[in-house]
Amino acid sequence: MISVTRRETFSASHRLYNPELSEAENLELFDKCANPNGHGHNYVLEVTVAGEPNSNSGYVIDMKKLKEVIRREIISRVDHKHLNYDVDFLKDVIPTAENMVKAFWDILKDKVGDARLQSIRLRETENNSVEYKG
Amino acid sequence: MISVTRRETFSASHRLYNPELSEAENLELFDKCANPNGHGHNYVLEVTVAGEPNSNSGYVIDMKKLKEVIRREIISRVDHKHLNYDVDFLKDVIPTAENMVKAFWDILKDKVGDARLQSIRLRETENNSVEYKG
Amino acid sequence: MISVTRRETFSASHRLYNPELSEAENLELFDKCANPNGHGHNYVLEVTVAGEPNSNSGYVIDMKKLKEVIRREIISRVDHKHLNYDVDFLKDVIPTAENMVKAFWDILKDKVGDARLQSIRLRETENNSVEYKG
Amino acid sequence: MISVTRRETFSASHRLYNPELSEAENLELFDKCANPNGHGHNYVLEVTVAGEPNSNSGYVIDMKKLKEVIRREIISRVDHKHLNYDVDFLKDVIPTAENMVKAFWDILKDKVGDARLQSIRLRETENNSVEYKG
Amino acid sequence: MISVTRRETFSASHRLYNPELSEAENLELFDKCANPNGHGHNYVLEVTVAGEPNSNSGYVIDMKKLKEVIRREIISRVDHKHLNYDVDFLKDVIPTAENMVKAFWDILKDKVGDARLQSIRLRETENNSVEYKG
Amino acid sequence: MISVTRRETFSASHRLYNPELSEAENLELFDKCANPNGHGHNYVLEVTVAGEPNSNSGYVIDMKKLKEVIRREIISRVDHKHLNYDVDFLKDVIPTAENMVKAFWDILKDKVGDARLQSIRLRETENNSVEYKG
């Protein structure tokens, strides 16, 4: 088994806010991330799939196809968007990096051909990142 | 003369939109950057000052003080903000990186002690940056 | 389970030297790292914790709190220090990256709230790093 | 057990082409990577070994020795080479990153002293990488 | 005047060889870069243009258009190519980074709209780069 | 004229301390950088030379030779050293990055062959750097 990782980037804004909590609780919980007008990030998304290299191609997966899948299914729907308002598959969750990788996983898990989705990593800043392995 | 550069980062959202133009003109001009709910970036700000090293300290400027000036005057006012709505000194301009470095220059130019402000660079993404030298 | 990683940096000096060995053996073992006056690095520390996202916050752990713990427990005690002389919890070990991550693990393992400490990575240079998973 | 990772780089050219397939099939499979005159990359190789730190040295492995092994066994044979024509141990495979890490593994697995070879990662571009764990 | 920089990447192979010199002289001059089958790099190209921001857009140049120009005029002609054999505008020169930036300059200098081409930087490896200002 | 930049790295320790000032003044001036046992950094050194490409080689300067000069004249004398005690050419100055680039300049300015030394940049941390142009 060999793992293959594709890195893509997108720029988006979000606001961390739980409507079931009070303003004071939101501020306590999310601090400046609860700013009503939101803020944003250059997200770095790393999608890892695993499998045996195909004997014809030497590829676990054609990186061009993995790139196209990630761009069509994820990047085109989140890039230059406000994650709270513009993204259908994030409508019901607080758009923390944790909730985002879980949503990305559900979208991608059956779309990587013969390979197996192994990990999704999302870097929100140069200091903060999350990883989900299903 | 020696140049000294301090790097700081902030995360903000913005929308590129000119209210004096029609919706169609804005879309033509700014494309997905005109998305009504905005989008965001992890900005990297590099402030360069120049001068002769002080004979007592060997410093052109005390980097701790330069850091404090940048954080107090710029970072605290733009980090985790929406640049169109939350930042007083950007109220009258479209918050492109170009307009941002000019606004940052006006704020910082008289606040770097005996050194001379030489350059402000702002990196909006890993592929796009601007630089202003006054 | 989702993993969350926080990256922090510190600058320190150290000397690799085993007092139970001869000078010749130390030089053989540690080469230029045994230089009597020491040398130093900009260390990059990556602390990974794992858990389920809290349903109220969408966070595995509040990154602000993880940052504060790492800075209070580790960074404040090693940053701008000589690791052989100035750091109580490294007094009895040769401050290799390997011994450092083990010492960091013992300090942090019970201080990450409801999350589980999963990994500590320490990058000593851009080419050399170590990782410990307990 | 602690993991220790050494990073090395090399620059090489290659062509992705399967002589058992037709020109059309090669173009379909490898697209611009099948360009007859080849193309190239700055590869980044990360070799990870694991073990217990030695009580005399505090090292899992002497990084100088790991560096020398990687340079002698791998880098000297692929750096500034054409991977299809100049590298004996890649003669019979299509030099995809997947096939390269497997070949590197076979070479290195018995040459890391008392430590255990744990992982080989190969970054072909800033966006594409593969990892093999044996 | 504000400078605006766009970063693009391409992967190519080349061979440093002067047909007017002997084999021995080429080897003396270019060492392993003269390897007959060539080698390759992930090149990073940074194109900087300067001008006054347009009052309607706040842009010195529309980064989308600068990106399109660089990709159409340069990247599409060098990416996944052998620089000695596949690139018409490099046919008569040894494809050193120095000669490449000069050739890129001649192509781009009249294609950046109202802005002025200010600098072209080409990074061949993480350690080696060149810059040309016309 | 084309500029050529070579990047090298070294790891060293230092202490910022002016023996002509009192302890209190040193602490006021240098804060934690005055720690008696010192601290350290992974320094990144970027040396830029300028000239016309040689018509035989297409090189402004042979990068291998520039690398050898930098390593012989600078890196071998500062790498894995304590800058206050182990480096003859820094004996009489406080080893701030500012004073270091000036000392490096004096050493390198007549040793870059037919090219002209144009700039020396020294990065002390990922956030702090200095540049000297003679």
Side-chain angles (χ1 to χ4, degrees), chain C residues 126-127, chain D residues 7-11 42 71, chain E residues 41-42 121-130, chain F residues 4-9 44-48 63 66-67 70-71:
Chain C
E126 64 188 15
N127 294 325
Chain D
R7 174 186 179 273
E8 294 286 333
T9 63
F10 62 95
S11 297
N42 298 326
R71 291 190 177 181
Chain E
H41 299 291
N42 299 325
R121 181 178 286 276
L122 184 65
R123 302 181 187 274
E124 202 170 70
T125 68
E126 64 188 15
N127 294 324
N128 295 349
S129 67
V130 307
Chain F
V4 174
T5 299
R6 175 72 191 176
R7 174 186 178 275
E8 293 286 333
T9 63
V44 179
L45 174 63
E46 293 169 1
V47 176
T48 301
M63 206 56 114
L66 181 56
K67 177 179 73 172
I70 300 171
R71 290 189 178 182

mmCIF file of all heavy atoms in Angstrom, chain C residues 126-127, chain D residues 7-11 42 71, chain E residues 41-42 121-130, chain F residues 4-9 44-48 63 66-67 70-71:
data_model
loop_
_atom_site.group_PDB
_atom_site.id
_atom_site.type_symbol
_atom_site.label_atom_id
_atom_site.label_comp_id
_atom_site.label_asym_id
_atom_site.label_seq_id
_atom_site.Cartn_x
_atom_site.Cartn_y
_atom_site.Cartn_z
ATOM 1 N N GLU C 126 15.609 22.493 9.156
ATOM 2 C CA GLU C 126 14.666 22.181 8.079
ATOM 3 C C GLU C 126 14.848 20.755 7.573
ATOM 4 O O GLU C 126 13.983 20.237 6.884
ATOM 5 C CB GLU C 126 14.789 23.202 6.937
ATOM 6 C CG GLU C 126 16.124 23.198 6.241
ATOM 7 C CD GLU C 126 16.291 24.365 5.239
ATOM 8 O OE1 GLU C 126 15.525 25.335 5.260
ATOM 9 O OE2 GLU C 126 17.218 24.283 4.416
ATOM 10 N N ASN C 127 15.953 20.114 7.938
ATOM 11 C CA ASN C 127 16.218 18.751 7.459
ATOM 12 C C ASN C 127 16.053 17.664 8.519
ATOM 13 O O ASN C 127 15.971 16.491 8.171
ATOM 14 C CB ASN C 127 17.649 18.673 6.895
ATOM 15 C CG ASN C 127 17.797 19.516 5.644
ATOM 16 O OD1 ASN C 127 16.877 19.632 4.840
ATOM 17 N ND2 ASN C 127 18.944 20.155 5.483
ATOM 18 N N ARG D 7 15.531 14.841 5.895
ATOM 19 C CA ARG D 7 15.074 15.369 4.608
ATOM 20 C C ARG D 7 16.273 15.625 3.714
ATOM 21 O O ARG D 7 17.252 16.241 4.147
ATOM 22 C CB ARG D 7 14.333 16.683 4.886
ATOM 23 C CG ARG D 7 13.894 17.477 3.669
ATOM 24 C CD ARG D 7 13.320 18.808 4.164
ATOM 25 N NE ARG D 7 12.890 19.659 3.078
ATOM 26 C CZ ARG D 7 13.698 20.516 2.417
ATOM 27 N NH1 ARG D 7 14.963 20.606 2.737
ATOM 28 N NH2 ARG D 7 13.222 21.267 1.447
ATOM 29 N N GLU D 8 16.237 15.103 2.488
ATOM 30 C CA GLU D 8 17.258 15.375 1.478
ATOM 31 C C GLU D 8 16.557 15.762 0.179
ATOM 32 O O GLU D 8 15.379 15.461 -0.002
ATOM 33 C CB GLU D 8 18.138 14.128 1.237
ATOM 34 C CG GLU D 8 18.997 13.723 2.423
ATOM 35 C CD GLU D 8 20.185 14.666 2.635
ATOM 36 O OE1 GLU D 8 20.652 15.277 1.660
ATOM 37 O OE2 GLU D 8 20.635 14.786 3.790
ATOM 38 N N THR D 9 17.283 16.417 -0.720
ATOM 39 C CA THR D 9 16.671 16.818 -1.988
ATOM 40 C C THR D 9 17.526 16.348 -3.161
ATOM 41 O O THR D 9 18.733 16.145 -3.019
ATOM 42 C CB THR D 9 16.536 18.354 -2.078
ATOM 43 O OG1 THR D 9 17.838 18.924 -2.051
ATOM 44 C CG2 THR D 9 15.730 18.899 -0.915
ATOM 45 N N PHE D 10 16.885 16.169 -4.299
ATOM 46 C CA PHE D 10 17.648 15.915 -5.525
ATOM 47 C C PHE D 10 16.848 16.439 -6.716
ATOM 48 O O PHE D 10 15.632 16.620 -6.636
ATOM 49 C CB PHE D 10 17.988 14.426 -5.693
ATOM 50 C CG PHE D 10 16.813 13.503 -5.808
ATOM 51 C CD1 PHE D 10 16.334 13.110 -7.054
ATOM 52 C CD2 PHE D 10 16.192 12.975 -4.677
ATOM 53 C CE1 PHE D 10 15.259 12.232 -7.175
ATOM 54 C CE2 PHE D 10 15.119 12.100 -4.785
ATOM 55 C CZ PHE D 10 14.650 11.732 -6.032
ATOM 56 N N SER D 11 17.559 16.713 -7.796
ATOM 57 C CA SER D 11 16.945 17.230 -9.015
ATOM 58 C C SER D 11 17.155 16.209 -10.122
ATOM 59 O O SER D 11 18.295 15.821 -10.390
ATOM 60 C CB SER D 11 17.585 18.570 -9.395
ATOM 61 O OG SER D 11 17.336 19.529 -8.399
ATOM 62 N N ASN D 42 12.425 19.022 -8.711
ATOM 63 C CA ASN D 42 13.229 19.031 -7.495
ATOM 64 C C ASN D 42 12.520 18.120 -6.500
ATOM 65 O O ASN D 42 11.517 18.514 -5.906
ATOM 66 C CB ASN D 42 13.333 20.447 -6.915
ATOM 67 C CG ASN D 42 14.002 21.428 -7.843
ATOM 68 O OD1 ASN D 42 14.912 21.087 -8.594
ATOM 69 N ND2 ASN D 42 13.542 22.671 -7.809
ATOM 70 N N ARG D 71 22.543 9.748 1.222
ATOM 71 C CA ARG D 71 23.279 10.375 0.120
ATOM 72 C C ARG D 71 24.054 9.349 -0.696
ATOM 73 O O ARG D 71 24.079 9.421 -1.915
ATOM 74 C CB ARG D 71 24.222 11.459 0.671
ATOM 75 C CG ARG D 71 23.441 12.652 1.212
ATOM 76 C CD ARG D 71 24.346 13.820 1.533
ATOM 77 N NE ARG D 71 23.529 14.956 1.979
ATOM 78 C CZ ARG D 71 24.009 16.142 2.321
ATOM 79 N NH1 ARG D 71 25.323 16.355 2.285
ATOM 80 N NH2 ARG D 71 23.203 17.116 2.698
ATOM 81 N N HIS E 41 14.007 20.353 -12.828
ATOM 82 C CA HIS E 41 13.691 21.182 -11.663
ATOM 83 C C HIS E 41 12.194 21.496 -11.626
ATOM 84 O O HIS E 41 11.524 21.497 -12.650
ATOM 85 C CB HIS E 41 14.450 22.516 -11.723
ATOM 86 C CG HIS E 41 15.935 22.377 -11.720
ATOM 87 N ND1 HIS E 41 16.636 21.951 -10.626
ATOM 88 C CD2 HIS E 41 16.869 22.606 -12.681
ATOM 89 C CE1 HIS E 41 17.932 21.924 -10.907
ATOM 90 N NE2 HIS E 41 18.110 22.309 -12.147
ATOM 91 N N ASN E 42 11.702 21.824 -10.416
ATOM 92 C CA ASN E 42 10.451 22.544 -10.263
ATOM 93 C C ASN E 42 10.808 24.019 -10.182
ATOM 94 O O ASN E 42 11.269 24.494 -9.144
ATOM 95 C CB ASN E 42 9.724 22.133 -8.977
ATOM 96 C CG ASN E 42 9.371 20.661 -8.947
ATOM 97 O OD1 ASN E 42 9.050 20.062 -9.965
ATOM 98 N ND2 ASN E 42 9.440 20.055 -7.762
ATOM 99 N N ARG E 121 11.946 37.039 -11.386
ATOM 100 C CA ARG E 121 12.790 36.176 -10.555
ATOM 101 C C ARG E 121 12.484 34.729 -10.913
ATOM 102 O O ARG E 121 11.317 34.370 -11.124
ATOM 103 C CB ARG E 121 12.510 36.418 -9.069
ATOM 104 C CG ARG E 121 13.375 35.577 -8.132
ATOM 105 C CD ARG E 121 13.099 35.871 -6.663
ATOM 106 N NE ARG E 121 13.655 37.132 -6.246
ATOM 107 C CZ ARG E 121 14.928 37.309 -5.852
ATOM 108 N NH1 ARG E 121 15.757 36.280 -5.805
ATOM 109 N NH2 ARG E 121 15.352 38.500 -5.503
ATOM 110 N N LEU E 122 13.527 33.913 -10.984
ATOM 111 C CA LEU E 122 13.352 32.498 -11.274
ATOM 112 C C LEU E 122 14.133 31.703 -10.239
ATOM 113 O O LEU E 122 15.354 31.847 -10.106
ATOM 114 C CB LEU E 122 13.869 32.184 -12.686
ATOM 115 C CG LEU E 122 13.670 30.744 -13.180
ATOM 116 C CD1 LEU E 122 12.195 30.410 -13.321
ATOM 117 C CD2 LEU E 122 14.373 30.546 -14.535
ATOM 118 N N ARG E 123 13.403 30.871 -9.494
ATOM 119 C CA ARG E 123 14.030 30.017 -8.478
ATOM 120 C C ARG E 123 14.184 28.616 -9.077
ATOM 121 O O ARG E 123 13.195 27.984 -9.424
ATOM 122 C CB ARG E 123 13.172 29.956 -7.218
ATOM 123 C CG ARG E 123 12.906 31.324 -6.607
ATOM 124 C CD ARG E 123 12.056 31.243 -5.330
ATOM 125 N NE ARG E 123 11.686 32.580 -4.870
ATOM 126 C CZ ARG E 123 12.440 33.343 -4.095
ATOM 127 N NH1 ARG E 123 13.598 32.890 -3.664
ATOM 128 N NH2 ARG E 123 12.037 34.557 -3.744
ATOM 129 N N GLU E 124 15.410 28.153 -9.181
ATOM 130 C CA GLU E 124 15.686 26.860 -9.808
ATOM 131 C C GLU E 124 15.644 25.735 -8.770
ATOM 132 O O GLU E 124 15.194 24.630 -9.044
ATOM 133 C CB GLU E 124 17.055 26.913 -10.478
ATOM 134 C CG GLU E 124 17.241 25.893 -11.575
ATOM 135 C CD GLU E 124 18.516 26.129 -12.364
ATOM 136 O OE1 GLU E 124 19.612 25.921 -11.819
ATOM 137 O OE2 GLU E 124 18.430 26.541 -13.526
ATOM 138 N N THR E 125 16.163 26.029 -7.594
ATOM 139 C CA THR E 125 16.064 25.111 -6.461
ATOM 140 C C THR E 125 15.768 25.977 -5.238
ATOM 141 O O THR E 125 15.723 27.203 -5.334
ATOM 142 C CB THR E 125 17.383 24.344 -6.199
ATOM 143 O OG1 THR E 125 18.372 25.277 -5.744
ATOM 144 C CG2 THR E 125 17.874 23.649 -7.457
ATOM 145 N N GLU E 126 15.611 25.352 -4.071
ATOM 146 C CA GLU E 126 15.352 26.162 -2.882
ATOM 147 C C GLU E 126 16.570 27.001 -2.506
ATOM 148 O O GLU E 126 16.454 27.940 -1.731
ATOM 149 C CB GLU E 126 14.876 25.293 -1.713
ATOM 150 C CG GLU E 126 15.903 24.295 -1.232
ATOM 151 C CD GLU E 126 15.345 23.310 -0.193
ATOM 152 O OE1 GLU E 126 14.122 23.189 -0.025
ATOM 153 O OE2 GLU E 126 16.151 22.618 0.442
ATOM 154 N N ASN E 127 17.733 26.688 -3.073
ATOM 155 C CA ASN E 127 18.955 27.416 -2.737
ATOM 156 C C ASN E 127 19.458 28.359 -3.828
ATOM 157 O O ASN E 127 20.297 29.214 -3.549
ATOM 158 C CB ASN E 127 20.073 26.418 -2.393
ATOM 159 C CG ASN E 127 19.766 25.639 -1.136
ATOM 160 O OD1 ASN E 127 19.182 26.177 -0.196
ATOM 161 N ND2 ASN E 127 20.119 24.378 -1.109
ATOM 162 N N ASN E 128 19.011 28.191 -5.053
ATOM 163 C CA ASN E 128 19.548 28.965 -6.177
ATOM 164 C C ASN E 128 18.450 29.749 -6.890
ATOM 165 O O ASN E 128 17.454 29.157 -7.311
ATOM 166 C CB ASN E 128 20.183 28.025 -7.213
ATOM 167 C CG ASN E 128 21.393 27.292 -6.698
ATOM 168 O OD1 ASN E 128 21.908 27.611 -5.626
ATOM 169 N ND2 ASN E 128 21.844 26.295 -7.436
ATOM 170 N N SER E 129 18.661 31.067 -7.061
ATOM 171 C CA SER E 129 17.701 31.832 -7.844
ATOM 172 C C SER E 129 18.395 32.976 -8.562
ATOM 173 O O SER E 129 19.521 33.345 -8.219
ATOM 174 C CB SER E 129 16.585 32.385 -6.946
ATOM 175 O OG SER E 129 17.097 33.355 -6.065
ATOM 176 N N VAL E 130 17.737 33.513 -9.572
ATOM 177 C CA VAL E 130 18.267 34.665 -10.297
ATOM 178 C C VAL E 130 17.150 35.701 -10.447
ATOM 179 O O VAL E 130 15.969 35.368 -10.351
ATOM 180 C CB VAL E 130 18.796 34.284 -11.702
ATOM 181 C CG1 VAL E 130 19.796 33.132 -11.622
ATOM 182 C CG2 VAL E 130 17.666 33.947 -12.649
ATOM 183 N N VAL F 4 22.168 36.991 -8.970
ATOM 184 C CA VAL F 4 22.162 35.560 -8.672
ATOM 185 C C VAL F 4 22.246 35.404 -7.157
ATOM 186 O O VAL F 4 23.123 35.998 -6.526
ATOM 187 C CB VAL F 4 23.364 34.875 -9.335
ATOM 188 C CG1 VAL F 4 23.466 33.421 -8.912
ATOM 189 C CG2 VAL F 4 23.281 34.995 -10.849
ATOM 190 N N THR F 5 21.347 34.627 -6.584
ATOM 191 C CA THR F 5 21.300 34.480 -5.128
ATOM 192 C C THR F 5 21.530 33.037 -4.716
ATOM 193 O O THR F 5 20.890 32.122 -5.236
ATOM 194 C CB THR F 5 19.931 34.955 -4.581
ATOM 195 O OG1 THR F 5 19.757 36.333 -4.910
ATOM 196 C CG2 THR F 5 19.874 34.793 -3.061
ATOM 197 N N ARG F 6 22.442 32.856 -3.784
ATOM 198 C CA ARG F 6 22.692 31.540 -3.195
ATOM 199 C C ARG F 6 22.255 31.565 -1.734
ATOM 200 O O ARG F 6 22.616 32.485 -0.988
ATOM 201 C CB ARG F 6 24.178 31.180 -3.274
ATOM 202 C CG ARG F 6 24.575 29.894 -2.584
ATOM 203 C CD ARG F 6 24.098 28.668 -3.313
ATOM 204 N NE ARG F 6 24.263 27.459 -2.515
ATOM 205 C CZ ARG F 6 23.845 26.256 -2.899
ATOM 206 N NH1 ARG F 6 23.255 26.094 -4.067
ATOM 207 N NH2 ARG F 6 23.995 25.212 -2.121
ATOM 208 N N ARG F 7 21.521 30.534 -1.331
ATOM 209 C CA ARG F 7 21.022 30.406 0.039
ATOM 210 C C ARG F 7 21.800 29.310 0.749
ATOM 211 O O ARG F 7 21.956 28.215 0.214
ATOM 212 C CB ARG F 7 19.536 30.043 -0.046
ATOM 213 C CG ARG F 7 18.856 29.724 1.282
ATOM 214 C CD ARG F 7 17.430 29.248 0.974
ATOM 215 N NE ARG F 7 16.686 28.879 2.156
ATOM 216 C CZ ARG F 7 16.748 27.661 2.735
ATOM 217 N NH1 ARG F 7 17.505 26.721 2.243
ATOM 218 N NH2 ARG F 7 16.016 27.402 3.822
ATOM 219 N N GLU F 8 22.326 29.633 1.928
ATOM 220 C CA GLU F 8 22.984 28.639 2.778
ATOM 221 C C GLU F 8 22.427 28.792 4.202
ATOM 222 O O GLU F 8 21.883 29.833 4.545
ATOM 223 C CB GLU F 8 24.510 28.869 2.798
ATOM 224 C CG GLU F 8 25.197 28.610 1.468
ATOM 225 C CD GLU F 8 25.303 27.124 1.142
ATOM 226 O OE1 GLU F 8 25.339 26.311 2.074
ATOM 227 O OE2 GLU F 8 25.345 26.797 -0.053
ATOM 228 N N THR F 9 22.604 27.773 5.014
ATOM 229 C CA THR F 9 22.092 27.838 6.385
ATOM 230 C C THR F 9 23.188 27.471 7.373
ATOM 231 O O THR F 9 24.135 26.762 7.043
ATOM 232 C CB THR F 9 20.915 26.859 6.585
ATOM 233 O OG1 THR F 9 21.386 25.528 6.400
ATOM 234 C CG2 THR F 9 19.798 27.137 5.609
ATOM 235 N N VAL F 44 19.495 31.699 8.153
ATOM 236 C CA VAL F 44 19.461 31.513 6.698
ATOM 237 C C VAL F 44 20.184 32.697 6.071
ATOM 238 O O VAL F 44 19.819 33.853 6.296
ATOM 239 C CB VAL F 44 18.019 31.437 6.174
ATOM 240 C CG1 VAL F 44 18.013 31.275 4.652
ATOM 241 C CG2 VAL F 44 17.269 30.291 6.832
ATOM 242 N N LEU F 45 21.215 32.404 5.298
ATOM 243 C CA LEU F 45 22.057 33.428 4.679
ATOM 244 C C LEU F 45 21.815 33.427 3.178
ATOM 245 O O LEU F 45 21.918 32.373 2.534
ATOM 246 C CB LEU F 45 23.527 33.105 4.975
ATOM 247 C CG LEU F 45 24.595 33.969 4.317
ATOM 248 C CD1 LEU F 45 24.510 35.417 4.778
ATOM 249 C CD2 LEU F 45 25.983 33.407 4.615
ATOM 250 N N GLU F 46 21.481 34.595 2.632
ATOM 251 C CA GLU F 46 21.270 34.694 1.186
ATOM 252 C C GLU F 46 22.247 35.712 0.618
ATOM 253 O O GLU F 46 22.157 36.904 0.936
ATOM 254 C CB GLU F 46 19.825 35.104 0.887
ATOM 255 C CG GLU F 46 18.819 34.027 1.282
ATOM 256 C CD GLU F 46 17.373 34.499 1.244
ATOM 257 O OE1 GLU F 46 17.145 35.677 0.887
ATOM 258 O OE2 GLU F 46 16.480 33.707 1.579
ATOM 259 N N VAL F 47 23.155 35.253 -0.219
ATOM 260 C CA VAL F 47 24.179 36.113 -0.805
ATOM 261 C C VAL F 47 23.832 36.353 -2.270
ATOM 262 O O VAL F 47 23.656 35.398 -3.037
ATOM 263 C CB VAL F 47 25.569 35.467 -0.691
ATOM 264 C CG1 VAL F 47 26.619 36.318 -1.389
ATOM 265 C CG2 VAL F 47 25.933 35.245 0.774
ATOM 266 N N THR F 48 23.721 37.631 -2.639
ATOM 267 C CA THR F 48 23.374 37.989 -4.015
ATOM 268 C C THR F 48 24.533 38.694 -4.687
ATOM 269 O O THR F 48 25.065 39.670 -4.151
ATOM 270 C CB THR F 48 22.128 38.907 -4.026
ATOM 271 O OG1 THR F 48 21.049 38.219 -3.405
ATOM 272 C CG2 THR F 48 21.743 39.289 -5.449
ATOM 273 N N MET F 63 27.530 28.743 -9.732
ATOM 274 C CA MET F 63 26.906 28.611 -8.421
ATOM 275 C C MET F 63 27.693 27.662 -7.516
ATOM 276 O O MET F 63 27.703 27.853 -6.296
ATOM 277 C CB MET F 63 25.483 28.108 -8.614
ATOM 278 C CG MET F 63 24.528 28.477 -7.532
ATOM 279 S SD MET F 63 24.397 30.264 -7.197
ATOM 280 C CE MET F 63 22.705 30.599 -7.710
ATOM 281 N N LEU F 66 30.351 29.864 -6.040
ATOM 282 C CA LEU F 66 29.782 30.785 -5.050
ATOM 283 C C LEU F 66 29.462 30.019 -3.762
ATOM 284 O O LEU F 66 29.756 30.479 -2.650
ATOM 285 C CB LEU F 66 28.515 31.448 -5.622
ATOM 286 C CG LEU F 66 27.812 32.451 -4.714
ATOM 287 C CD1 LEU F 66 28.736 33.566 -4.255
ATOM 288 C CD2 LEU F 66 26.580 33.045 -5.405
ATOM 289 N N LYS F 67 28.896 28.837 -3.925
ATOM 290 C CA LYS F 67 28.590 27.992 -2.763
ATOM 291 C C LYS F 67 29.862 27.668 -1.982
ATOM 292 O O LYS F 67 29.901 27.788 -0.749
ATOM 293 C CB LYS F 67 27.923 26.697 -3.234
ATOM 294 C CG LYS F 67 27.621 25.704 -2.125
ATOM 295 C CD LYS F 67 26.934 24.452 -2.661
ATOM 296 C CE LYS F 67 27.906 23.565 -3.422
ATOM 297 N NZ LYS F 67 27.301 22.263 -3.792
ATOM 298 N N ILE F 70 31.130 30.773 -0.050
ATOM 299 C CA ILE F 70 30.313 31.078 1.139
ATOM 300 C C ILE F 70 30.576 30.049 2.242
ATOM 301 O O ILE F 70 30.715 30.396 3.415
ATOM 302 C CB ILE F 70 28.807 31.098 0.783
ATOM 303 C CG1 ILE F 70 28.530 32.159 -0.287
ATOM 304 C CG2 ILE F 70 27.960 31.354 2.027
ATOM 305 C CD1 ILE F 70 27.107 32.097 -0.840
ATOM 306 N N ARG F 71 30.657 28.786 1.846
ATOM 307 C CA ARG F 71 30.869 27.750 2.870
ATOM 308 C C ARG F 71 32.262 27.853 3.499
ATOM 309 O O ARG F 71 32.412 27.701 4.702
ATOM 310 C CB ARG F 71 30.656 26.353 2.261
ATOM 311 C CG ARG F 71 29.188 26.111 1.941
ATOM 312 C CD ARG F 71 28.919 24.679 1.541
ATOM 313 N NE ARG F 71 27.485 24.493 1.300
ATOM 314 C CZ ARG F 71 26.904 23.345 0.969
ATOM 315 N NH1 ARG F 71 27.656 22.258 0.841
ATOM 316 N NH2 ARG F 71 25.612 23.269 0.781
#
